C-alpha cells in the first residue's frame, strides 16, 4: 500500500505471500465519519469486502482496479454466512491482495469481527483493526444527546436488541432494567422494542421514562423520535421508523440539546446519481449538503485516452490559432495532464481564444486560464455568433467526450478526446435495492449518464424505474437525451435542483 502513512496501524508483513486484511470501521453512514487512516487504506487497497450499512460513495468512488465484494445483507434476504465471509477474506489475502474489510460503525460492535480476525490469524494472515465511529456516538452527536451526565447517568450499556442467533448469549434485560442511574443503548433496536420496553416497565420504570429512537443518524435519512417508555412502540409504528435505528432509554434523553441545523430541501430524499467513479465523491457531497442521501450508481466507466493523432494535429495548427472549446468540467480538469503527457505545455494555446461551454466549466477554467468567453449554457450546435467571431474558416478545437459540437458550417472542427466512456455493470444487490425501494430522484448531469443508465438496466426496466421516481436532467441537452429514451420528467421540477446541480456540475 504505497503512500499510506499507517502510523500506529502499520504492520510489517512477515509473510511475503499473503496480503494484509484491514478491518476498518466506516462510521455510521456519513462518509465524512470514516477515520483518515481508514480512508487512506481504502484508497490504496487491492480489494474491498463491504457491508450494507457503509456509505456507498466510499466504494463507488474507488478506481476500477480495486476488486469489490459485497458481503452484506441483500434486500429482503440474509447476508452471506459468516463462514463464507471468512473464507473470502482468507482467499483474497492468500492471493497476495491487501484487503479492506469495511464495516458499518466501529468493527468491534456487533459485526462479527472476532470470527473474521480469528480465522485470518489461524491462516497466518496479518490483521490490522482500524476503529470507527459507532452508531451510539453518532446518535448522541446528531441528536444533541449526552450519553452520560452527572445528574442522571454514570454508566452506559450497549446491547443488541436482535438476539436472533440461536447460539448468542441472551441479553439479561430483566437485570439491566433493574439497574438504575444509567443509559441503555439498544443496537438493532426496532424489532424487539416492545419486549425490551416491557422488561423496563416490569422492573418498575415509569411510563414517563424518557427514551428515543434515532434512524439513520448522520445520513440523509436521519429521523429523531423522542418519546416516553409508555408511547415509544406506538410512536415508532406511527412514524414508520425503519432500520438502521438505535433506541436510547434513560433520563439523559430529557437533557439533550436538539440540534439547531436548518431544515434542508432534500432531507429524507434518496437521490440516485449516475456520475462516474472519479466524480462520485464530489457529486455525493453536493447532494449531502442539501440533505439528500445519495445512491452513487455510476452509469459508465471513464478511461483516460491519449489521442496522439489529435494532439499532433493540434500542434500543427497551433501556429495559426483559432478557438478552443471546453465542453465539460472533466475536460477542464483532464486537459493539463493530457497536454503534458503528450509532450506539450501551455504555450501551445498561445494563439488560441478559449471558450467554456457553460458557467461551471468557466469557473473551473478560470483557476488556470482566463476564458475569452463563457457560454450561458451547453449546446450541441455552436454558431459563429455564439463566440462573437466573424471570420469564416476558423479552426475550432473541441475537448469533448461524447458531444461532437456541430460548427462545421463555419469552422474546421478538431475534436480531441481526453476521456472515453466504457460500459459498466451494477452489483445485483444494487439493482435489487432500487427495485425494492425506488429512489425519490434520479440525477443526470450529461447525456452519457442517460445512455449509460439505459445500458445498465435495459430500456424497459430503466423506463419502469424512471416512472416511479422523478428524473432531474441537468440542462436542455440532457433533457433531449432523456426524452430520446422515453424517460419522463417535469421540466419545472428541475429548477428546484439548479443550485445543487450547479455545485455538483463543476465536474
Ligand atoms: N458496528 C456497528 C453496529 C452494527 S449492528 C456500529 O458500531 O455502529 C447494526 C445496527 O447498528 C443497526 O441495526 C442500528 O441499530 C445501528 N446503526 C448503525 N448505523 C446507524 C445509524 N446511522 N443510525 C442509527 N443506528 C445505526
Amino acid at each position: 500500500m504505497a503512500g499510506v502513512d499507517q502510523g500506529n496501524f502499520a504492520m510489517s508483513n512477515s509473510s511475503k505471500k499473503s496480503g494484509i486484511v484491514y478491518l476498518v470501521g466506516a462510521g455510521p453512514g456519513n462518509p465524512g465519519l470514516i477515520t483518515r487512516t481508514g480512508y487512506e487504506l481504502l484508497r490504496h487497497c487491492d480489494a474491498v469486502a463491504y457491508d450494507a450499512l457503509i456509505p456507498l460513495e466510499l466504494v463507488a468512488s474507488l478506481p476500477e482496479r480495486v476488486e469489490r465484494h459485497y458481503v452484506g445483507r441483500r434486500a429482503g434476504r440474509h447476508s452471506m454466512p459468516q463462514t463464507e465471509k471468512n473464507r473470502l477474506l482468507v482467499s483474497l489475502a492468500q492471493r497476495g491482495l491487501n484487503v479492506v474489510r469495511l464495516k458499518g460503525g466501529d468493527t468491534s460492535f456487533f459485526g462479527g469481527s472476532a470470527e473474521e480476525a480469528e480465522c485470518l490469524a489461524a491462516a497466518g494472515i496479518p490483521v490490522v483493526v482500524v476503529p470507527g465511529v459507532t452508531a451510539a456516538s453518532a446518535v448522541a452527536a446528531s441528536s444533541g444527546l449526552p450519553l452520560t451526565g452527572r445528574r442522571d447517568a454514570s454508566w452506559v450499556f450497549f446491547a443488541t436488541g436482535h438476539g436472533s442467533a440461536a447460539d448468542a448469549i441472551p441479553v439479561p434485560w430483566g437485570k439491566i432494567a433493574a439497574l438504575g442511574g444509567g443509559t441503555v443503548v439498544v443496537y438493532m433496536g426496532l424489532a424487539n422494542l416492545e419486549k425490551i420496553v416491557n422488561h423496563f416497565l416490569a422492573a418498575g420504570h415509569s411510563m414517563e421514562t424518557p427514551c428515543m429512537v434515532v434512524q439513520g443518524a448522520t445520513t440523509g435519512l436521519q429521523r429523531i423520535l423522542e418519546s416516553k417508555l409508555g408511547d415509544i412502540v406506538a410512536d415508532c409504528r406511527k412514524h414508520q421508523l425503519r432500520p438502521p435505528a438505535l433506541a436510547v432509554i434513560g433520563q439523559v434523553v430529557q437533557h439533550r440539546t436538539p440540534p439547531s441545523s436548518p431544515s434542508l430541501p432534500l432531507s429524507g430524499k434518496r437521490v440516485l446519481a449516475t456520475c462516474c467513479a472519479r466524480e462520485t465523491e464530489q457529486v455525493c457531497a453536493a447532494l449531502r449538503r442539501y440533505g439528500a442521501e445519495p445512491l452513487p450508481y455510476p452509469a459508465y466507466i471513464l478511461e483516460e485516452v491519449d489521442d496522439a493523432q489529435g494532439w499532433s494535429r493540434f500542434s500543427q495548427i497551433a501556429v495559426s490559432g483559432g478557438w478552443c472549446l471546453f465542453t465539460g468540467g472533466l475536460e477542464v480538469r483532464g486537459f493539463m495532464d493530457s497536454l503534458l503527457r503528450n509532450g506539450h505545455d501551455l504555450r501551445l494555446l498561445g494563439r488560441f481564444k478559449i471558450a467554456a461551454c457553460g458557467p461551471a466549466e468557466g469557473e473551473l477554467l478560470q483557476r488556470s486560464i482566463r476564458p475569452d468567453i463563457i457560454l450561458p449554457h451547453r449546446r450541441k450546435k455552436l454558431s459563429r455568433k455564439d463566440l462573437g467571431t466573424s471570420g469564416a474558416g476558423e479552426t475550432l478545437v473541441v475537448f469533448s467526450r461524447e458531444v461532437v459540437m456541430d460548427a462545421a458550417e463555419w469552422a474546421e472542427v478538431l475534436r480531441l478526446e481526453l476521456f472515453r466512456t466504457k460500459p459498466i455493470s451494477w452489483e445485483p444487490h444494487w439493482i435489487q435495492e432500487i427495485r425494492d425501494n425506488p429512489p425519490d430522484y434520479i440525477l443526470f448531469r450529461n447525456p452519457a449518464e442517460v445512455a449509460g443508465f439505459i445500458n445498465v438496466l435495459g430500456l424497459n426496466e430503466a423506463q419502469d424505474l424512471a416512472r416511479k421516481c422523478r428524473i432531474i436532467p441537468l440542462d436542455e441537452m440532457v433533457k433531449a437525451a432523456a426524452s430520446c429514451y422515453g424517460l419522463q420528467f417535469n421540466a419545472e421540477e428541475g429548477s428546484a435542483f439548479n443550485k445543487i446541480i450547479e455545485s455538483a456540475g463543476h465536474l
Side-chain angles (χ1 to χ4, degrees):
M1 291 197 175
V4 182
D5 176 8
Q6 291 153 11
N8 291 336
F9 301 97
M11 179 179 259
S12 65
N13 190 353
S14 51
S15 134
K16 286 235 161 52
K17 275 176 260 137
S18 82
I20 302 177
V21 175
Y22 296 85
L23 299 180
V24 176
N30 186 307
L33 291 173
I34 187 172
T35 62
R36 270 178 73 169
T37 303
Y39 184 79
E40 286 300 317
L41 288 167
L42 193 57
R43 302 302 304 178
H44 293 92
C45 70
D46 305 309
V48 56
Y50 62 103
D51 279 336
L53 287 181
I54 58 116
L56 198 53
E57 58 257 59
L58 289 178
V59 173
S61 62
L62 292 176
E64 211 195 331
R65 61 167 185 81
V66 180
E67 266 187 39
R68 293 148 218 232
H69 298 270
Y70 178 69
V71 299
R73 191 184 291 276
R74 328 242 147 190
R77 276 166 258 155
H78 287 297
S79 54
M80 188 185 265
Q82 188 61 55
T83 47
E84 231 176 280
K85 292 186 202 176
N86 300 348
R87 262 203 299 274
L88 172 71
L89 294 176
V90 170
S91 77
L92 291 173
Q94 281 176 341
R95 282 169 49 207
L97 305 181
N98 284 316
V99 183
V100 166
R101 170 71 176 98
L102 196 61
K103 287 165 176 273
D106 181 89
T107 58
S108 63
F109 281 78
F110 311 117
S113 290
E115 286 96 322
E116 289 170 17
E118 272 167 33
C119 194
L120 289 161
I125 293 158
V127 180
V128 178
V129 180
V130 181
V133 175
T134 190
S137 305
V139 160
S142 57
S143 60
L145 176 79
L147 287 175
T148 63
R150 245 182 304 157
R151 283 169 293 187
D152 17 52
S154 307
W155 51 261
V156 189
F157 216 102
F158 297 116
T160 167
H162 206 271
S164 64
D167 57 348
I169 296 176
V171 178
W173 285 115
K175 288 185 185 158
I176 297 169
L179 298 169
T183 306
V184 176
V185 175
V186 191
Y187 284 71
M188 294 163 273
L190 284 180
N192 291 323
L193 192 58
E194 192 163 2
K195 267 197 217 154
I196 297 167
V197 163
N198 286 339
H199 277 293
F200 278 79
L201 294 176
H205 289 270
S206 112
M207 302 275 269
E208 302 296 306
T209 306
C211 53
M212 64 191 292
V213 169
V214 179
Q215 168 191 310
T218 76
T219 74
L221 305 178
Q222 173 172 301
R223 293 171 74 197
I224 300 174
L225 175 71
E226 188 174 333
S227 185
K228 297 169 185 160
L229 210 49
D231 301 330
I232 186 83
V233 174
D235 283 349
C236 282
R237 272 193 207 120
K238 183 170 148 204
H239 296 285
Q240 302 186 338
L241 263 72
R242 302 257 177 273
L246 201 81
V248 181
I249 303 170
Q251 297 299 330
V252 283
V253 172
Q254 66 183 315
H255 289 129
R256 76 184 185 99
T257 316
S260 53
S261 44
S263 72
L264 297 166
L266 292 178
S267 284
K269 302 289 185 224
R270 292 159 69 246
V271 181
L272 190 147
T274 47
C275 50
C276 66
R278 73 179 72 202
E279 300 170 311
T280 301
E281 285 189 293
Q282 275 151 299
V283 173
C284 290
L287 290 167
R288 285 190 188 277
R289 276 199 293 279
Y290 287 83
E293 181 60 16
L295 301 181
Y297 281 31
Y300 54 79
I301 293 167
L302 197 69
E303 271 184 340
E304 267 154 13
V305 288
D306 275 327
D307 184 353
Q309 262 190 342
W311 280 108
S312 122
R313 177 90 188 96
F314 191 173
S315 62
Q316 284 163 13
I317 57 180
V319 272
S320 40
W323 279 90
C324 278
L325 176 74
F326 289 84
T327 61
L330 267 170
E331 278 65 30
V332 178
R333 285 175 200 274
F335 168 77
M336 193 57 103
D337 275 350
S338 188
L339 181 76
L340 295 170
R341 261 201 324 271
N342 284 276
H344 306 290
D345 66 22
L346 268 182
R347 283 170 294 182
L348 195 65
L349 294 184
R351 289 177 181 269
F352 284 87
K353 288 192 167 177
I354 308 292
C357 69
E361 290 75 16
E363 201 188 306
L364 258 184
L365 205 50
Q366 270 164 335
R367 296 179 196 173
S368 52
I369 304 170
R370 189 163 297 138
D372 296 276
I373 189 160
I374 299 175
L375 300 171
H377 58 83
R378 293 194 289 184
R379 62 204 69 203
K380 242 194 149 92
K381 198 169 160 67
L382 192 71
S383 72
R384 211 180 289 165
K385 226 168 80 202
D386 290 328
L387 295 182
T389 170
S390 54
E394 288 250 24
T395 306
L396 177 69
V397 181
V398 184
F399 295 99
S400 160
R401 249 164 296 167
E402 81 277 5
V403 186
V404 182
M405 190 62 62
D406 184 0
E409 287 160 18
W410 60 275
E412 187 197 334
V413 180
L414 167 64
R415 176 168 165 255
L416 231 153
E417 252 188 332
L418 304 179
F419 298 100
R420 196 168 294 154
T421 57
K422 254 184 20 182
I424 202 169
S425 55
W426 289 344
E427 294 273 340
H429 80 275
W430 291 16
I431 299 181
Q432 196 60 45
E433 161 73 23
I434 51 174
R435 273 185 194 147
D436 293 348
N437 197 3
D440 297 285
Y441 297 99
I442 302 178
L443 174 63
F444 293 121
R445 297 164 46 257
N446 60 51
E449 290 183 356
V450 183
F453 173 76
I454 301 287
N455 188 46
V456 190
L457 279 183
L459 186 61
N460 285 345
E461 178 149 22
Q463 286 177 338
D464 191 42
L465 180 67
R467 272 192 289 274
K468 297 175 187 154
C469 321
R470 294 171 178 177
I471 302 288
I472 309 294
L474 174 69
D475 58 19
E476 296 306 318
M477 274 178 43
V478 190
K479 282 179 192 161
S483 302
C484 161
Y485 290 110
L487 306 182
Q488 310 286 333
F489 53 86
N490 175 347
E492 295 301 300
E493 203 156 43
S495 61
F497 272 74
N498 273 351
K499 272 196 180 157
I500 302 158
I501 291 167
E502 265 169 34
S503 65
H506 285 241
L507 297 151

